[in-house]
Amino acid sequence: MQEVMSENALRDLNTIPGSEKKNESSSKGSFTKPYIGAATENLEEFQKKNSVSLVSPPMNGNETANTVLETGIPEVEYIESENLNDLEDVDTSLKTLLAGLESKDWVLVCEALNNVRRISIFHKDAMLDILGDVILLVVKSLKNPRSAVCKTAIMTSADIFNAYNDHIIDSLDPMLLQLLLKSSQDKRFVCEAAERALVAMTKWVSPVLLLPKLQPYLKHKNPRIRAKTSTCFCRSVPRLGVDGIKAYGIDKLIQIAASQLSDQLPESREAARILLLELQTVYEKFHDLTPTVSEHPDMGSWEHFCQSKLSPLSAQAVLRVTNIAREGLVLGS
């Protein structure tokens, strides 16, 4: 009886059309088509059924987010700005841009983010009218728990800073907060990308506009965010120039730097130290300290200035930092 059943089963199997066999086999296979900025497959339903997640890239400098092949999720390539190609149809891309950024399909979101980057690089004027809406959706992607979307959004932020400079200032606050958060997390490849975006921000956004945006985060409850903000603040101040620092208020800047000098993390304290040395140099440039015959020759000194603007303890800490640096320069010469 068993032999008859086996023969019947074998005969039934042999009569299955080839196309059905192929379909059965392919259903157990994987979709490994790489994503390089142009997605044509909608994987939303597949993702819902399989509950898959992207695997973080290895920590060996490889800039591709590799995926588990069994899941059939496409690979994501992080394309550096200089390697991005221009769009073939700018008008069509602009019309579908916001919808792409709002898509529930993360692959399509990554494609839209890379299109934002392309437009920023090659056709920045074309996106000015919708720039505010675009930035809000980029911020949404910065919050995305999927690393591929988040990192692509970070790279998009850097290209936006580079292209639009001060045009983004009214939309900067939510983007700034997310970049500070991402630069403060433990996932290294996301953290490093966020730090590069913050460097682009301090390079391309005018310091007179950026410094007031940064200042509230110097008092953030998270010490890592305070540290990243201190570093940004330290990079931005010298871009004001001597006259700009004087106009902004060197007394206000020295008070900010002094408060960071006693902060929890070494990164904050080092940024404060560098900023104080910059402020000392600037102060001495626009206060000619050449000895003159005067009843009070020390009234214009750096020491007197610090003591007049800071509490005794803060002034002592600031002078200790700047005097040690000065003594080091003297010994070095």
Side-chain angles (χ1 to χ4, degrees):
M1 183 68 175
Q2 289 181 349
E3 291 180 3
V4 173
M5 291 178 65
S6 298
E7 289 177 6
N8 290 339
L10 183 61
R11 185 171 61 254
D12 291 343
L13 180 62
N14 289 334
T15 59
I16 295 176
S19 60
E20 290 183 25
K21 288 183 183 179
K22 183 178 179 181
N23 289 339
E24 181 181 350
S25 174
S26 64
S27 69
K28 298 179 181 178
S30 61
F31 175 76
T32 58
K33 177 182 177 182
Y35 165 74
I36 314 180
T40 57
E41 304 290 341
N42 190 326
L43 302 176
E44 184 177 352
E45 291 304 316
F46 181 89
Q47 293 167 21
K48 287 179 182 177
K49 292 177 183 177
N50 293 275
S51 300
V52 294
S53 60
L54 189 69
V55 176
S56 298
M59 299 302 180
N60 59 0
N62 188 345
E63 288 300 309
T64 300
N66 296 316
T67 59
V68 180
L69 295 181
E70 289 83 3
T71 66
I73 297 301
E75 296 178 349
V76 173
E77 181 181 0
Y78 300 119
I79 310 171
E80 295 301 326
S81 302
E82 59 270 22
N83 296 327
L84 283 168
N85 296 320
D86 196 358
L87 292 161
E88 292 183 3
D89 189 339
V90 180
D91 291 336
T92 300
S93 296
L94 278 169
K95 290 175 182 177
T96 59
L97 193 61
L98 297 180
L101 292 170
E102 291 183 291
S103 174
K104 294 181 180 180
D105 184 336
W106 70 270
V107 178
L108 296 181
V109 173
C110 286
E111 177 189 1
L113 287 168
N114 278 328
N115 283 345
V116 171
R117 299 176 66 202
R118 292 182 174 96
I119 295 170
S120 298
I121 293 168
F122 297 105
H123 309 277
K124 64 179 184 179
D125 291 341
M127 201 165 65
L128 274 173
D129 290 342
I130 59 169
L131 184 60
D133 294 329
V134 168
I135 290 176
L136 286 176
L137 292 173
V138 171
V139 170
K140 180 180 177 182
S141 291
L142 287 171
K143 299 176 183 178
N144 195 299
R146 191 180 288 278
S147 297
V149 176
C150 180
K151 181 170 177 179
T152 306
I154 291 170
M155 297 174 77
T156 304
S157 301
D159 287 327
I160 287 174
F161 292 139
N162 191 345
Y164 294 102
N165 315 132
D166 295 348
H167 288 291
I168 58 91
I169 200 67
D170 292 335
S171 306
L172 179 62
D173 289 324
M175 180 180 281
L176 173 58
L177 174 59
Q178 289 305 313
L179 290 175
L180 289 171
L181 287 168
K182 299 306 176 186
S183 70
S184 305
Q185 66 165 254
D186 294 326
K187 192 171 290 184
R188 195 178 76 179
F189 81 109
V190 172
C191 176
E192 290 174 349
E195 287 180 341
R196 289 193 292 270
L198 290 171
V199 169
M201 178 188 70
T202 56
K203 180 179 180 181
W204 297 109
V205 179
S206 298
V208 70
L209 298 175
L210 181 59
L211 292 174
K213 298 287 187 182
L214 289 169
Q215 201 167 332
Y217 296 106
L218 292 169
K219 298 180 180 180
H220 198 277
K221 62 182 180 180
N222 185 330
R224 289 189 178 186
I225 288 182
R226 292 199 304 271
K228 299 301 179 184
T229 307
S230 294
T231 303
C232 291
F233 204 90
C234 174
R235 281 197 303 263
S236 292
V237 169
R239 294 188 60 233
L240 287 167
V242 174
D243 292 336
I245 288 175
K246 185 177 179 181
Y248 195 88
I250 193 170
D251 52 341
K252 180 165 63 175
L253 292 171
I254 194 176
Q255 289 164 5
I256 292 170
S259 69
Q260 296 302 300
L261 200 57
S262 58
D263 201 63
Q264 179 178 341
L265 294 181
E267 189 176 351
S268 288
R269 300 195 295 272
E270 178 62 14
R273 187 187 71 82
I274 293 170
L275 179 54
L276 286 167
L277 294 174
E278 177 71 21
L279 294 174
Q280 181 189 24
T281 300
V282 170
Y283 179 84
E284 293 177 349
K285 278 183 180 178
F286 63 76
H287 284 268
D288 186 5
L289 300 182
T290 302
T292 57
V293 179
S294 171
E295 189 176 346
H296 303 287
D298 294 330
M299 289 297 288
S301 69
W302 170 251
E303 289 78 6
H304 181 269
F305 177 73
C306 291
Q307 291 165 353
S308 66
K309 300 298 181 183
L310 301 169
S311 69
L313 283 177
S314 292
Q316 184 180 8
V318 168
L319 291 173
R320 183 166 57 247
V321 165
T322 54
N323 287 340
I324 288 174
R326 179 177 287 174
E327 289 169 5
L329 287 173
V330 172
L331 290 174
S333 61

